[in-house]
Amino acid sequence: LHILHVSSAQGVELIRRAKADGVPVTAETCPHFLFLSADDYDRVGPMIKVYPVIKEESDRLALWAGLKDGTLDFVASDHAPHTVAEKQGSLFEIPSGMCGVESMLPLMLGEVSKGKVTLPFVVRVLSENPAKLYGFSHKGAIAEGRDADIVIVDMLKRRTIRNEDLHSKQPMTAFNGMDITGWPIRTYLRGKLVAKDFDIVGNPQGEWISCPQY
């Protein structure tokens, strides 16, 4: 059993107990659950609407604890872009979801800069663990025979997450205005440079990869 988008302290505890009992369960959470709480609703506005809903600060802290002790196996972006127009209006009428793929790594690197987690931890929960879970033997590590998927980071680089810098069809994020120290500056996909200094390089290089586990 793999559980997506864990957002509550209760969920973390149930998964922790199940793993202790030998139940073959894995789970992930998302950046918005790790970096936002109900305290941010008024500040962020409708952009904060996601499913499951973002909960209390106590839930946020429990998710971090679960990620650090291995109860939660990895972090997934839950990238769900909408147009700017779609995200305007009543909180009860607009669609849920936000773009998350471009801000996920900077947010996690920011935690490294603050001394709250390590770079090996970030590699484990963003790359190594999901590759292992889904059976992508050619991904998740730098080694002979693996795909040369490599991200080079500058841990001294300080930059602000801004809507206008995003490359998604939805140039809006709940993290707009957040200052981060630690940014990816080069991204290689199968050995080919695809992003440099916050801009996309060349034409799309992505390929559909079927999951051998399912």
Side-chain angles (χ1 to χ4, degrees):
L1 173 65
H2 179 63
I3 302 175
L4 305 175
H5 308 352
V6 180
S7 63
S8 69
Q10 183 182 27
V12 173
E13 183 55 30
L14 287 170
I15 295 164
R16 183 179 287 119
R17 285 161 48 190
K19 286 191 170 185
D21 291 339
V23 177
V25 57
T26 55
E28 49 94 325
T29 189
C30 307
H32 36 276
F33 301 131
L34 293 171
F35 292 92
L36 298 171
S37 73
D39 298 338
D40 296 301
Y41 272 76
D42 289 339
R43 176 183 62 83
V44 175
M47 180 50 56
I48 205 170
K49 183 178 180 181
V50 293
Y51 288 145
V53 298
I54 292 168
K55 299 177 175 64
E56 303 296 331
E57 177 68 5
S58 57
D59 294 291
R60 189 185 76 82
L61 295 175
L63 290 166
W64 271 111
L67 192 63
K68 290 178 179 180
D69 70 16
T71 300
L72 302 179
D73 298 273
F74 62 90
V75 180
S77 70
D78 190 24
H79 183 71
H82 298 277
T83 64
V84 175
E86 288 174 332
K87 292 296 282 189
Q88 303 298 311
S90 167
L91 187 66
F92 299 98
E93 296 177 356
I94 63 172
S96 66
M98 68 177 79
C99 57
V101 70
E102 197 168 355
S103 54
M104 179 171 67
L105 178 55
L107 287 167
M108 296 297 287
L109 293 177
E111 294 300 285
V112 175
S113 296
K114 295 174 184 176
K116 295 184 177 181
V117 297
T118 65
L119 276 174
F121 172 84
V122 172
V123 171
R124 188 164 61 250
V125 300
L126 294 190
S127 181
E128 181 182 354
N129 284 357
K132 286 181 178 178
L133 175 67
Y134 289 112
F136 297 142
S137 60
H138 53 305
K139 303 285 186 182
I142 299 175
E144 185 176 355
R146 303 285 185 106
D147 286 354
D149 296 338
I150 300 171
V151 177
I152 299 174
V153 302
D154 181 350
M155 292 307 299
L156 299 180
K157 180 68 178 179
R158 182 166 181 170
R159 196 166 184 257
T160 303
I161 297 176
R162 299 190 186 280
N163 290 331
E164 56 265 30
D165 295 331
L166 300 178
H167 295 83
S168 172
K169 80 172 188 178
Q170 174 201 282
M172 296 179 68
T173 172
F175 304 110
N176 181 55
M178 184 178 290
D179 291 327
I180 301 288
T181 300
W183 282 81
I185 57 172
R186 300 284 191 281
T187 301
Y188 294 86
L189 177 62
R190 296 186 301 278
K192 296 181 179 179
L193 182 67
V194 293
K196 176 182 178 182
D197 296 331
F198 318 112
D199 280 317
I200 296 171
V201 175
N203 296 319
Q205 301 287 329
E207 296 177 3
W208 171 256
I209 302 176
S210 60
C211 182
Q213 295 288 79
Y214 300 97

